[in-house]
Amino acid sequence: MFFTINETRNALKAGKTTSQKLVQTAVETFEKDKSAAIPLNAFIELYEDALAKAQNADKEIEAARKEGSSALDKLFEEKPLLGIPFANKDNINSKGHRLTCASKILEGYVAPYNATVIDRLEKAGAIALGRCNQDEFAMGSSTEYSCYGPTRNPINREYVSGGSSGGSAAAVAANQALFGLGTETGGSVRLPASYCGIYGLKTTYGVLSRWGVVAYGSSLDQVGILGHTPADIAEPLSLMSGVDFYDDTSADLPDAASLKKLTALSDAEFKALKIAIPKQFLKTEGADKDVIKCFEETRAWFTSKGASVEEVDLPILDASIAAYYVIALSEAASNLSRFDGIRYGRRVDNQKGYDELYVDTRSEGFGPEVKRRIVIGNYVLSEQFSGDTYKKGMTVRARIQREVAAVFEKYDIILCPTCPTAAFKLGSKVDNPLEMYLSDLYTTFVNLARIPSINVPAGRTSLDSMPIGMQFAGKMFSEALILRLAQNWENDHAECGIPVKE
């Protein structure tokens, strides 16, 4: 497997490799991993038609090559990702393939249509390689809440890969796919990207259509992209973004065309940057000393390059994680009510009536973390509390949006760590949900404010050399800015990434 999209595309054009070889290598790696003593468990399954699609891509490339270099160039202009395999998350519909959200309740379900993001990638020639593991219904921060078992970190398999998009992140970090799709509601792309030492982008709400993505918290959910480099995120983003007829919340991304060939900021552009650091994120309680050290080094990098760095006061951020969980769990309880054993998915019918069918199906089909969040969400939405708690959460959210937007009237970027700690060992937090929830301490404000943010690999822990990530957050629709800034970071810190080459 080649390392980046551009390297792979050049190799395909030059005839140094074929799409079929890329997919076949992934199949062999998948089969080898399944029988390993400690499997990575990044992919749940590979799609059976991936190899046939790769063969068709090779035929197109070979036919264009026979016509000459201009025909080959034209082909890749029309289909810039032709023959490139990517990893899909198990909650994004891929037509004709199983989709379970890593839950027993959707066991055997087959997607009847493509999600918009899948459709747009396939029109660009990309090949969906298979579906990746995740926390059940995207509820978790470690990919331990999966009916398929946990995904392990490719850097050290005793550690978690992060969640809920841990399968996609592990697949990319282990070089099993060139890029991956994930989803996040409160940090589920950036968190596993941080834990696995790769780049992970959470886009502005609406930039990537949610049509065909199984809902967790509808007002917060967003598709994200994971890759080895900023360019490996920018190009798929440019192809997937834009208004979708099927998603009323979708929106166009300004400067999307410029992302096809990503360039770093010039020296003059960099020196004009104004960086804000919220004082609320300078508190060291719960933050690992290695994370604090990496944060200070990142701050020093901005200063050394000539950017202006200032601390700002945003007291409302102290309420972000509480507001996030009130809103997310309420919406989750509502969205998951459709899984009732009647319309689709698992059905447990003991012939005792509809109420018992509903209870038995959900009791058997949902895992403990999903049940916990449904119970809490319904409690918040109950007649006694909905006016006092849920509405207050929405009020806090509105204030976070206003105050974060006000920061961006003066500053270009908000800088903070991605997570208070590096990846933790499997099983160390699974029985302590509150501690697990605090993994999202630095990420949830981004989702509440609906702004874009990218995780960049920033270093490693001193004890066990696990990856540490920092995040650059920008104002709404500033994906081009933060990706170009991430390219500056990549140019200066390529050694911070920790690719695992087979």
Side-chain angles (χ1 to χ4, degrees):
M1 185 75 75
F2 290 81
F3 188 57
T4 69
I5 289 175
N6 196 47
E7 287 175 358
T8 306
R9 180 169 44 229
N10 290 337
L12 287 167
K13 291 175 71 174
K16 294 180 180 179
T17 191
T18 64
S19 181
Q20 187 175 348
K21 285 181 182 178
L22 297 175
V23 173
Q24 189 60 48
T25 299
V27 171
E28 292 169 0
T29 303
F30 175 71
E31 294 298 333
K32 182 180 178 182
D33 182 69
K34 282 201 303 184
S35 59
I38 306 176
L40 184 65
N41 202 24
F43 279 99
I44 298 168
E45 70 165 340
L46 298 187
Y47 297 147
E48 292 180 358
D49 59 356
L51 196 57
K53 289 180 178 179
Q55 292 169 344
N56 290 335
D58 289 334
K59 289 177 182 178
E60 287 189 68
I61 294 169
E62 187 57 33
R65 185 179 290 114
K66 289 179 180 178
E67 293 183 27
S69 58
S70 59
L72 196 60
D73 290 340
K74 183 180 179 181
L75 175 63
F76 277 94
E77 284 178 11
E78 294 173 350
K79 296 182 177 181
L81 298 181
L82 184 61
I84 303 291
F86 69 94
N88 188 31
K89 189 176 178 180
D90 190 32
N91 64 345
I92 302 176
N93 280 262
S94 179
K95 186 177 181 179
H97 301 129
R98 279 176 288 185
L99 175 142
T100 67
C101 297
S103 177
K104 291 180 181 178
I105 206 164
L106 277 175
E107 193 173 40
Y109 179 76
V110 175
Y113 62 94
N114 272 339
T116 296
V117 289
I118 296 292
D119 200 43
R120 289 177 176 177
L121 285 175
E122 289 189 343
K123 285 179 180 176
I127 297 170
L129 192 54
R131 59 189 176 108
C132 287
N133 203 10
Q134 62 169 77
D135 285 300
E136 184 180 10
F137 282 101
M139 298 181 187
S141 302
S142 64
T143 314
E144 290 176 283
Y145 301 123
S146 167
C147 70
Y148 301 104
T151 293
R152 296 173 180 270
N153 195 306
I155 314 304
N156 185 329
R157 297 196 179 193
E158 293 182 2
Y159 289 75
V160 301
S161 61
S164 63
S165 305
S168 296
V172 173
N175 235 23
Q176 294 180 1
L178 286 164
F179 69 97
L181 295 185
T183 64
E184 71 157 76
T185 308
S188 292
V189 166
R190 288 164 290 154
L191 195 68
S194 175
Y195 286 176
C196 293
I198 58 175
Y199 290 87
L201 175 72
K202 182 269 176 197
T203 54
T204 302
Y205 185 82
V207 161
L208 294 178
S209 170
R210 292 182 296 111
W211 172 255
V213 179
V214 179
Y216 166 14
S218 301
S219 71
L220 298 163
D221 291 347
Q222 189 62 61
V223 177
I225 311 169
L226 298 132
H228 287 292
T229 67
D232 286 350
I233 291 174
E235 189 169 3
L237 173 61
S238 70
L239 297 165
M240 289 188 290
S241 64
V243 169
D244 177 21
F245 173 81
Y246 297 106
D247 182 359
D248 288 341
T249 66
S250 61
D252 284 325
L253 176 62
D255 303 323
S258 69
L259 295 173
K260 293 179 180 179
K261 292 185 179 180
L262 190 68
T263 59
L265 296 173
S266 67
D267 289 344
E269 288 175 311
F270 202 105
K271 290 177 181 177
L273 283 178
K274 293 183 178 180
I275 313 299
I277 299 177
K279 293 179 181 178
Q280 286 65 35
F281 290 158
L282 294 175
K283 301 172 184 177
T284 58
E285 296 89 344
D288 187 88
K289 63 180 181 180
D290 289 324
V291 173
I292 297 170
K293 180 175 180 289
C294 277
F295 175 69
E296 292 301 330
E297 290 172 350
T298 306
R299 181 176 183 169
W301 176 76
F302 275 103
T303 302
S304 70
K305 301 276 283 187
S308 171
V309 181
E310 296 179 14
E311 295 177 11
V312 298
D313 195 21
L314 276 172
I316 193 64
L317 292 185
D318 287 332
S320 61
I321 198 163
Y324 164 76
Y325 275 104
V326 165
I327 296 168
L329 271 56
S330 298
E331 294 182 2
S334 177
N335 278 323
L336 268 62
S337 64
R338 73 191 69 179
F339 301 100
D340 53 13
I342 296 173
R343 283 165 283 195
Y344 44 74
R346 195 181 192 92
R347 182 185 183 98
V348 181
D349 189 356
N350 294 315
Q351 305 298 316
K352 295 179 180 179
Y354 286 113
D355 288 345
E356 285 76 8
L357 182 151
Y358 188 80
V359 171
D360 291 344
T361 297
R362 291 166 67 84
S363 296
E364 186 176 316
F366 288 138
E369 180 60 23
V370 173
K371 291 176 184 175
R372 181 185 295 117
R373 298 194 185 202
I374 290 173
V375 169
I376 296 172
N378 280 324
Y379 182 71
V380 171
L381 290 173
S382 65
E383 183 178 353
Q384 181 180 358
F385 291 101
S386 61
D388 184 44
T389 307
Y390 182 71
K391 289 181 181 178
K392 190 170 290 185
M394 295 297 285
T395 300
V396 171
R397 173 190 187 148
R399 184 172 168 186
I400 288 173
Q401 287 182 285
R402 289 196 303 271
E403 295 194 11
V404 169
V407 169
F408 286 121
E409 290 177 3
K410 182 178 179 182
Y411 299 92
D412 303 296
I413 297 292
I414 291 177
L415 170 66
C416 63
T418 303
C419 186
T421 67
F424 47 88
K425 286 194 173 183
L426 284 155
S428 62
K429 294 185 180 181
V430 72
D431 294 323
N432 189 340
L434 289 179
E435 188 175 351
M436 186 83 78
Y437 295 169
L438 289 176
S439 299
D440 300 332
L441 182 64
Y442 299 126
T443 56
T444 54
F445 85 96
V446 168
N447 303 77
L448 292 167
R450 297 185 169 182
I451 59 175
S453 179
I454 189 169
N455 172 79
V456 301
R460 312 183 191 189
T461 58
S462 56
L463 182 62
D464 44 21
S465 198
M466 296 303 290
I468 295 171
M470 295 291 133
Q471 61 174 329
F472 307 155
K475 66 181 179 181
M476 293 181 72
F477 304 108
S478 67
E479 278 81 354
L481 172 62
I482 63 174
L483 281 164
R484 292 184 68 200
L485 178 58
Q487 186 60 54
N488 287 87
W489 179 268
E490 169 70 9
N491 292 344
D492 289 357
H493 298 87
E495 74 283 356
C496 288
I498 312 174
V500 180
K501 296 194 175 182
E502 298 292 334

